[in-house]
Amino acid sequence: MTTTAPVVLLHGQPGDHSAWDGVLERLPSSVRALAWDRPGYGSSESAGGTLEENAVWLLDRLDRAGIPDAVLAGHSYGGGVALAAAAIAPERVRGLISIAGVWPGCVTRWDGVLAAPVVGPALAVGMWSMMPRLARWHRARHPDAVASWHAFADIRHEHSPVWRTVLLEQRELFGSLDHWVERLDTTDMPALIIADPTDTVVPVAAARALHERFPRSRLELVSGGGHLLPQRIPDVIAAKIGEFVDSVG
């Protein structure tokens, strides 16, 4: 008898599991969903790591939760973690959901600056020393402001500076994303790819390339979310996740 696989929600960079709060509230009751803080963020006891280290961490969490296989839903950088996990242990992945997920070639000039040897660390320290404080100040005075600003207010890691994780992950976009994509066997893996054509962080071309790579994929273009789809249009994202999870059992 085939059982319904749980869906694991992987947040982007930077962030924590709370990025999925709106989606979790709207998912169908038939869907068992788990949202964990990735290494280097929130309450995670693990230090920030590479895509491979994130994938190994994820598979270990599944083991400890007694979950033999799951649907992996990754937003932005979390999509890269899902791809790496699928490359390492495809038998553990019932299906993939990429939501504005990273893909080789999706990087911008700004990503290059943030990953640079000298400028990158300086910017990372400056940004993530001040950004959460400024965002909290702005949220207190403008509680109805868009989620894209408020999303920075509570970014933290209780065990090490967030800027180190952000810098490491920026460099991973240039250094190893291609490697994990090349290792993927996409022949039999169902996938759902969700993107907003107005996304200025990860261009919609990344979603189209991912769709072409997965023969059993469906590409869903949505509007009103930009890059922060789980926060801005959680009802739409929850509905699409629910449909996909039901379709793969």
Side-chain angles (χ1 to χ4, degrees), residues 41-87:
Y41 296 110
S43 60
S44 172
E45 295 182 0
S46 302
T50 62
L51 283 169
E52 180 174 11
E53 289 166 337
N54 268 257
V56 170
W57 159 83
L58 173 59
L59 295 170
D60 178 66
R61 284 297 301 261
L62 292 176
D63 287 340
R64 287 190 282 133
I67 299 172
D69 61 350
V71 173
L72 302 184
H75 172 240
S76 193
Y77 192 89
V81 175
L83 292 175

Side-chain angles (χ1 to χ4, degrees), residues 27-28 41 45-46 84 118 121 125 135 141 145 157 168 210-211 237 244:
L27 280 172
Y41 296 110
E45 295 182 0
S46 302
V118 177
V125 171
R141 287 157 180 76
H157 185 221
L168 189 157
L210 184 60
H211 177 46
I237 300 304
F244 182 77

